[in-house]
C-alpha cells in the first residue's frame, strides 16, 4: 500500500503546487493527473494448466511472453481458480462469490440465461462506481438473456447489464453454438435477411450434423461435439442461418487481440478495466496457419504458442501507449488442463513428454489439485517487485482486493482482501478455501487438502482424468505430497475431523445436486 499512498500523495502535492502558479489549462491537466488510478486488466486463459507455461516448469514448450509476466511480477505457486470448469470460475472471478452458492453456475449451453443477478456487485460494477471505463473482450460463458433468446434482436441482459460499458464476446465456448461474436448485445455482422436460430434440443431440418455427415467435417469428434458443423468443425448445439456473421476459427485469436488493443488505445486517457478472456487452449484448437506445427505438439501446443504471442502483442500495446507502468495485470486460467476434450486433434498422440498439469494430480473437472491450481500472476511494472509467492490466493479474492486498491468499500461475499499478497508485500494469503469441480466441493486449509466422499467414477474415461471421487474421505499434505499420492485420512483422523468441521461450517452438510457431466 505504501507506494500507492505515496504516489497519490505526490500527485495531490503536485496539484497544490501547480494550482498556485500555473495557467488554467495546466491546472486542469494536473487535476486529471491527481485522480489517476491504475488501469486493471485480467488476462484470462481457458483451460491452461499449471504445467503449460515454461515459467511453471514446462520444458517441452516455450511461452516467453507469459513468462515475462511471471518473472517481472509476482508468480503465485498456490493460486487457484474457484472451480475446475469454466462457468463457475468465471462467475467467481467477477462476483467475488463462491459459485456453489449459485445452483446455475455449471457449464452452460449457448442458450442459457444470464446467471449473474443484475443487482449483484461485480468487479466491473464496482470499478464503474469509481469512474472506470469497463470492457470485456473474449469468452463470456455466463449466459445471456433471461429466457428464450432471440439472437436477431439485442440480446440482454448480458455483460453490459452486469457492469461492462463495452462487450465484445463469444457467448459460450468455441465448441458451442452460436458461433458468432456479440458486440454490446448485437450479433456482429448479422444479415437481417438471414436470421439465426439456435437450439440445444433438436436439429433444424435439412442442416448437416457431425453425427450424420462426418464427410463434411475437417475435425473429427471423439465424444459429444456431433451437432451442427461450422467451418468443418462439428459443435455442441444446433444452429441455422447467420452465415455472414459466423466467426472464422483460425482468426479468432487475432480478432480478439485487435479488439483488446483497440480498447486500450481508446481508453488510455482514463482509468479502465479490461477483461481480456482468450479462448485458448480450449477445444476446438484452431491455430492460425502461422502457428500451425510450431509446437510439434499438435494444435493444443500450437494454440498455447498462439496465445503467448497474442499476450506479447497486447503487452507491447500497453507499452507503446505509455500506460504499462500504470496498469495492474492479473494473469490466470479458468481451470486446469485436459488433453482430449472431445475431438481427435492429435493432442494425446503428440503430447510427448509435456505434462500440462505439471506434477499435480487430476486435471480439468477434477477435485484434485490440477483441476483448480493454475498459473496465477500479478504484474505491475515499476510498482510490483518481481518474486515468487506461495501464499494461497484465489480468483474469488480479486473483487475485494481491487476494491481496496481503488478506495471502494465494496466487498465480495467470499472474497478476501489480499491486496498486499497481490502486490507482493505479503506472503500470508488465505487460510482456507472451498474448491468446486462439476458441482462437487472440496477444501483446502493451510497445507492440507480434504476431499469428501463422492459416488461416481474415479476417472472420466473419455477425457482420461481422475476427478477425485472415492467412497472414502481423502486428506493430503500438499507441502510434502504435492502430487496427492498418499491419502492420510486414516492415519491422521484429528486433522481430517478439523478440516471436515471447518468445511461444513462454510459449505453446509449437504453436497447438493451433482452436475450431469455427459462426458462419457
Ligand atoms: C463439456 C464438453 C467439453 C467442454 C466443456 C466446457 C462434451 C462431451 N464436452 O461438456 O468439450 O466444452 O464442456 O469447458 O460436450 S469449459 O472450459 O468451458 O468449462
Ligand atoms: Ca475452461
Amino acid at each position: 500500500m505504501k507506494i500507492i499512498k505515496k504516489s497519490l500523495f505526490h500527485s495531490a502535492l503536485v496539484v497544490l503546487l501547480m494550482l498556485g502558479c500555473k495557467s488554467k489549462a495546466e491546472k486542469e491537466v494536473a487535476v486529471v493527473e491527481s485522480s489517476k488510478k491504475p488501469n486493471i486488466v485480467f488476462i484470462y486463459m481457458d483451460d491452461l494448466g499449471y504445467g503449460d507455461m515454461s515459467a511453471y516448469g514446462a520444458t517441452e514448450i516455450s511461452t516467453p511472453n507469459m513468462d515475462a509476466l511471471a518473472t517481472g511480477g509476482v508468480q503465485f505457486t498456490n493460486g487457484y481458480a474457484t472451480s475446475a470448469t469454466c462457468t463457475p470460475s468465471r462467475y467467481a472471478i467477477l462476483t467475488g462469490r463462491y459459485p456453489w452458492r449459485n445452483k446455475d453456475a455449471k457449464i452452460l449451453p449457448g442458450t442459457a440465461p444470464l446467471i449473474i443477478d443484475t443487482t449483484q456487485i461485480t468487479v466491473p460494477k464496482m470499478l464503474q462506481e469509481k469512474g472506470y471505463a469497463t470492457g470485456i473482450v473474449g469468452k463470456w460463458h455466463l449466459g445471456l438473456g433471461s429466457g428464450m433468446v432471440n439472437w436477431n434482436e439485442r440480446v440482454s441482459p448480458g455483460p453490459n447489464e452486469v457492469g461492462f460499458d463495452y462487450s465484445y464476446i463469444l457467448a459460450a465456448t468455441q465448441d458451442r453454438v452460436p458461433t458468432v461474436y456479440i458486440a454490446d448485445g448485437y450479433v456482429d455482422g448479422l444479415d437481417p435477411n438471414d436470421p439465426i436460430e439456435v437450439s440445444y434440443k433438436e436439429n433444424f431440418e435439412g442442416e448437416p450434423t457431425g453425427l450424420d455427415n462426418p464427410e463434411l467435417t475437417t475435425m473429427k469428434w471423439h465424444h459429444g461435439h456431433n451437432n451442427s458443423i461450422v467451418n468443418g468443425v462439428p459443435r455442441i448445439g444446433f444452429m441455422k442461418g447467420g452465415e455472414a456473421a459466423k466467426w472464422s476459427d483460425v482468426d479468432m485469436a487475432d480478432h480478439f487481440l485487435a479488439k483488446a488493443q483497440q480498447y486500450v488505445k481508446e481508453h488510455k486517457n482514463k482509468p479502465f478495466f479490461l477483461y481480456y478472456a482468450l479462448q485458448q487452449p480450449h477445444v476446438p484448437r484452431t491455430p492460425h496457419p502461422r502457428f500451425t506445427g510450431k509446437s510439434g505438439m499438435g494444435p493444443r501446443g500450437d494454440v498455447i504458442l498462439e496465445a503467448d504471442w497474442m499476450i506479447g502483442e497486447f503487452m507491447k500495446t500497453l507499452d507503446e501507449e505509455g500506460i504499462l507502468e500504470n496498469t495492474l495485470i492479473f494473469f490466470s486460467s479458468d481451470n486446469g488442463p485436459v488433453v482430449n476434450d472431445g475431438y481427435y486433434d492429435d493432442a494425446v498422440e503428440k503430447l510427448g513428454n509435456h505434462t500440462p498439469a505439471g506434477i499435480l494430480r487430476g486435471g480439468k473437472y477434477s477435485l484434485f489439485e490440477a483441476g483448480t491450481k493454475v498459473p496465477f500472476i500479478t504484474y505491475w511494472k515499476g510498482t510490483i517487485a518481481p518474486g515468487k509467492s506461495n501464499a494461497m490466493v484465489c480468483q474469488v479474492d480479486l473483487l475485494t482486493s481491487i476494491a481496496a486498491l481503488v478506495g471502494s468499500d465494496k466487498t465480495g461475499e467470499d472474497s478476501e482482501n489480499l491486496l498486499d499478497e497481490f502486490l507482493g508485500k505479503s506472503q500470508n494469503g488465505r487460510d482456507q478455501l472451498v474448491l468446486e469441480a462439476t458441482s462437487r466441493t472440496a477444501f483446502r486449509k493451510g497445507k492440507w487438502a480434504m476431499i469428501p466422499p463422492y459416488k461416481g467414477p474415479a476417472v472420466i474415461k473419455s477425457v482420461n482424468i481422475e476427478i477425485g471421487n472415492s467412497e472414502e474421505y481423502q486428506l493430503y499434505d500438499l507441502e510434502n505430497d504435492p502430487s496427492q499420492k498418499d491419502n492420510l485420512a486414516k492415519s491422521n483422523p484429528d486433522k481430517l475431523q478439523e478440516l471436515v468441521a471447518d468445511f461444513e461450517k462454510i459449505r453446509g452438510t449437504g453436497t447438493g445436486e451433482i452436475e450431469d457431466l455427459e462426458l462419457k
Side-chain angles (χ1 to χ4, degrees), residues 232-270:
V233 180
R235 317 273 166 160
I236 307 172
F238 303 99
M239 174 176 169
K240 188 184 174 187
E243 270 319 309
K246 284 180 181 169
W247 66 49
S248 158
D249 289 278
V250 293
D251 293 312
M252 182 176 283
D254 285 315
H255 194 67
F256 282 146
L257 172 66
K259 296 286 176 194
Q261 289 173 317
Q262 186 189 343
Y263 188 84
V264 166
K265 288 180 187 167
E266 285 172 6
H267 296 87
K268 64 179 176 189
N269 291 326
K270 34 184 149 171

Side-chain angles (χ1 to χ4, degrees), residues 178-492:
T179 51
V180 294
Y181 299 118
I182 300 172
D184 288 327
Y186 294 97
V187 171
D188 194 10
L190 182 67
D191 173 357
N193 297 316
D194 181 25
I196 296 186
E197 289 176 85
V198 180
S199 167
Y200 275 68
K201 292 207 179 86
E202 50 188 5
N203 193 19
F204 298 96
E205 217 187 307
E207 295 296 310
T209 65
L211 189 62
D212 295 333
N213 308 87
E215 75 285 359
L216 298 179
T217 61
T218 48
M219 194 186 284
K220 304 295 168 197
W221 58 275
H222 175 272
H223 56 278
H225 306 96
N226 57 20
N227 302 152
S228 290
I229 303 167
V230 181
N231 306 332
V233 180
R235 317 273 166 160
I236 307 172
F238 303 99
M239 174 176 169
K240 188 184 174 187
E243 270 319 309
K246 284 180 181 169
W247 66 49
S248 158
D249 289 278
V250 293
D251 293 312
M252 182 176 283
D254 285 315
H255 194 67
F256 282 146
L257 172 66
K259 296 286 176 194
Q261 289 173 317
Q262 186 189 343
Y263 188 84
V264 166
K265 288 180 187 167
E266 285 172 6
H267 296 87
K268 64 179 176 189
N269 291 326
K270 34 184 149 171
F272 67 81
F273 167 58
L274 175 64
Y275 176 24
Y276 177 23
L278 289 84
Q279 89 284 9
Q280 304 109 324
H282 193 284
V283 294
R285 297 143 182 160
T286 54
H288 185 271
R290 69 189 192 278
F291 296 99
T292 303
K294 286 288 181 305
S295 69
M297 224 180 263
R300 185 175 188 279
D302 296 346
V303 298
I304 292 176
L305 298 188
E306 179 186 66
D308 186 71
W309 186 86
M310 300 297 152
I311 290 166
E313 293 303 296
F314 179 75
M315 293 303 293
K316 266 189 224 162
T317 301
L318 291 177
D319 199 9
E320 283 161 11
E321 298 302 322
I323 54 174
L324 194 53
E325 298 198 11
N326 193 39
T327 303
L328 167 59
I329 296 166
F330 291 86
F331 172 91
S332 200
S333 173
D334 67 342
N335 53 254
V338 51
V339 183
N340 176 344
D341 206 14
Y343 293 100
Y344 289 98
D345 63 1
D346 275 348
V348 175
E349 293 75 4
K350 295 194 172 165
L351 191 61
N353 293 325
H354 180 57
T355 49
I359 60 162
L360 306 180
R361 186 169 177 184
K364 183 174 179 177
Y365 311 109
S366 182
L367 283 176
F368 287 122
E369 282 278 274
T372 48
K373 186 179 277 188
V374 285
F376 198 130
I377 299 161
T378 53
Y379 177 95
W380 184 351
K381 193 178 177 197
T383 295
I384 289 182
K388 280 200 182 188
S389 172
N390 63 4
M392 178 157 66
V393 298
C394 179
Q395 292 162 11
V396 77
D397 300 318
L398 298 192
L399 194 148
T400 301
S401 306
I402 294 170
L405 173 69
V406 302
S408 162
D409 58 3
K410 293 286 186 307
T411 54
E413 189 174 340
D414 299 298
S415 182
E416 295 190 10
N417 178 359
L418 301 183
L419 184 60
D420 284 348
E421 283 79 350
F422 291 136
L423 297 182
K425 295 171 201 288
S426 162
Q427 295 257 348
N428 289 340
R430 289 182 152 255
D431 296 332
Q432 48 190 32
L433 176 64
V434 177
L435 296 165
E436 186 265 353
T438 58
S439 302
R440 300 157 303 142
T441 42
F443 195 52
R444 278 238 25 207
K445 183 181 179 188
K447 64 173 186 172
W448 299 95
M450 185 280 291
I451 307 176
Y454 287 103
K455 293 200 186 83
V459 174
I460 304 181
K461 289 217 180 75
S462 55
V463 296
N464 192 25
I465 290 174
E466 284 186 293
I467 58 168
N469 289 337
S470 162
E471 289 186 0
E472 315 213 316
Y473 274 100
Q474 299 176 68
L475 180 72
Y476 299 98
D477 171 350
L478 297 181
E479 215 167 85
N480 296 306
D481 179 24
S483 306
Q484 298 178 296
K485 292 195 171 109
D486 206 3
N487 181 3
L488 303 178
K490 289 222 168 80
S491 60
N492 217 333

Side-chain angles (χ1 to χ4, degrees), residues 46-47 84-88 90 106-108 139 141 172-176 222-225 236 282-284 334-336 338 340-343 364-365 462-463 515-520:
D46 193 359
D47 295 4
T85 61
C86 172
T87 298
R90 285 163 202 260
K106 302 171 178 184
I107 300 172
L108 296 177
K139 178 172 173 172
H141 211 190
T173 60
Q174 202 189 333
D175 55 351
R176 281 171 175 75
H222 175 272
H223 56 278
H225 306 96
I236 307 172
H282 193 284
V283 294
D334 67 342
N335 53 254
V338 51
N340 176 344
D341 206 14
Y343 293 100
K364 183 174 179 177
Y365 311 109
S462 55
V463 296
E515 183 170 3
D516 179 8
L517 255 188
E518 287 179 3
L519 290 176
K520 278 148 260 153

Side-chain angles (χ1 to χ4, degrees), residues 28-49:
E28 273 164 16
V29 171
V31 172
V32 172
E33 281 294 309
S34 76
S35 60
K36 213 168 186 185
K37 299 192 174 106
N39 306 308
I40 294 161
V41 175
F42 292 179
I43 301 178
Y44 209 34
M45 302 294 299
D46 193 359
D47 295 4
L48 188 78

